Amino acid sequence: MKIPIFSTLEQACACVGIVPRKASRIFTVTDETGGGRHGRGAGRIRMFDDGKGGICFNWRTGAEAVFFYDFNGVKPSRAELARARAELCRQRAETERRTRHRQMVVANLAAQIVSAASDSADGHKYLRRKGLQAVPRWGGLRCIRAEVAQTLIDGADIEQEDGICQRLNMGGLLIVVPLVDAEGVVWSVQLIDETGRKTFQWMI
């Protein structure tokens, strides 16, 4: 696999579609260019120990690039490229491990929210405004109070790249819509408030 090589951090970041940010020796988290919420924290930048360059990686797309400040058309050595590839593989494996762990934590939180939803969705202002009833088409839908859902979210301690816990900009009764797989396992939930605002539990 050929890894693109650039002489500046900015060029390497542009190649993989992430926002350039001054990197420390450890991986520096950055965002995907124009990625919005889904691209938040998608980028990684790491300087080599000798300070002559580093690695850029977009874990969401898999794009990767190397930059050498003293490159200027001179091909880096095989040892330098091998080190870059090894570091990319290590970081990719670590990112995948953390993503799997986070998905399980989010799934556990979603199950807690579904379990704590005790109010029937019948008569919910959003459904009533849409001319819908919870039964029979929406049978099984339940609601949870926004403050109860927020308490569960706060207690889940889900790791966020920016260190900020998810805040629900919602109030009142929230319809809980479980997101399940073919086996019926709940992986996330969508919450809908009385005005129709919607939010998902973050998966990545």
Side-chain angles (χ1 to χ4, degrees), residues 1-16:
M1 178 182 64
K2 291 185 177 180
I3 302 177
I5 304 170
F6 299 92
S7 59
T8 69
L9 168 65
E10 289 74 19
Q11 291 171 334
C13 285
C15 176
V16 301

Side-chain angles (χ1 to χ4, degrees), residues 70-90:
D70 60 352
F71 176 40
N72 294 324
V74 180
K75 184 176 180 180
S77 68
R78 290 185 177 180
E80 289 173 320
L81 290 178
R83 179 179 59 183
R85 291 190 182 97
E87 189 58 49
L88 282 169
C89 290
R90 187 200 68 78

Side-chain angles (χ1 to χ4, degrees), residues 65 126 204:
Y126 172 73
I204 58 176

Side-chain angles (χ1 to χ4, degrees), residues 17-70:
I18 63 176
V19 178
R21 185 174 297 171
K22 185 177 180 180
S24 62
R25 292 298 175 86
I26 62 173
F27 266 82
T28 297
V29 176
T30 187
D31 299 331
E32 190 174 26
T33 305
R37 179 167 66 85
H38 297 292
R40 188 181 61 181
R44 301 291 188 276
I45 303 170
R46 186 188 190 282
M47 292 295 296
F48 295 141
D49 291 337
D50 59 14
K52 292 183 178 180
I55 306 165
C56 294
F57 179 63
N58 184 329
W59 66 259
R60 198 178 69 82
T61 65
E64 54 198 28
V66 171
F67 59 97
F68 285 90
Y69 290 132
D70 60 352

Side-chain angles (χ1 to χ4, degrees), residues 17-200:
I18 63 176
V19 178
R21 185 174 297 171
K22 185 177 180 180
S24 62
R25 292 298 175 86
I26 62 173
F27 266 82
T28 297
V29 176
T30 187
D31 299 331
E32 190 174 26
T33 305
R37 179 167 66 85
H38 297 292
R40 188 181 61 181
R44 301 291 188 276
I45 303 170
R46 186 188 190 282
M47 292 295 296
F48 295 141
D49 291 337
D50 59 14
K52 292 183 178 180
I55 306 165
C56 294
F57 179 63
N58 184 329
W59 66 259
R60 198 178 69 82
T61 65
E64 54 198 28
V66 171
F67 59 97
F68 285 90
Y69 290 132
D70 60 352
F71 176 40
N72 294 324
V74 180
K75 184 176 180 180
S77 68
R78 290 185 177 180
E80 289 173 320
L81 290 178
R83 179 179 59 183
R85 291 190 182 97
E87 189 58 49
L88 282 169
C89 290
R90 187 200 68 78
Q91 178 60 16
R92 178 179 289 172
E94 175 62 16
T95 298
E96 291 175 350
R97 183 196 66 78
R98 292 177 61 185
T99 298
R100 287 193 299 270
H101 172 73
R102 190 174 186 283
Q103 287 173 337
M104 294 305 299
V105 174
V106 170
N108 183 60
L109 170 60
Q112 291 180 35
I113 291 175
V114 170
S115 178
S118 57
D119 296 295
S120 171
D122 281 320
H124 190 275
K125 291 182 181 179
Y126 172 73
L127 295 180
R128 194 164 62 236
R129 191 170 66 254
K130 291 292 186 179
L132 302 172
Q133 293 182 334
V135 178
R137 181 179 179 184
W138 298 91
L141 279 184
R142 292 176 294 173
C143 295
I144 188 172
R145 296 201 170 275
E147 59 269 23
V148 175
Q150 187 65 65
T151 298
L152 291 172
I153 292 171
D154 293 344
D157 193 26
I158 298 175
E159 180 183 359
Q160 304 291 348
E161 297 288 4
D162 57 10
I164 300 175
C165 178
Q166 183 178 13
R167 305 302 302 175
L168 297 176
N169 296 317
M170 314 167 103
L173 281 176
L174 310 179
I175 298 175
V176 178
V177 183
L179 304 180
V180 302
D181 61 18
E183 304 298 325
V185 177
V186 178
W187 285 98
S188 186
V189 292
Q190 183 184 53
L191 303 175
I192 308 174
D193 73 3
E194 294 167 337
T195 68
R197 286 180 296 186
K198 304 175 179 69
T199 187
F200 287 94

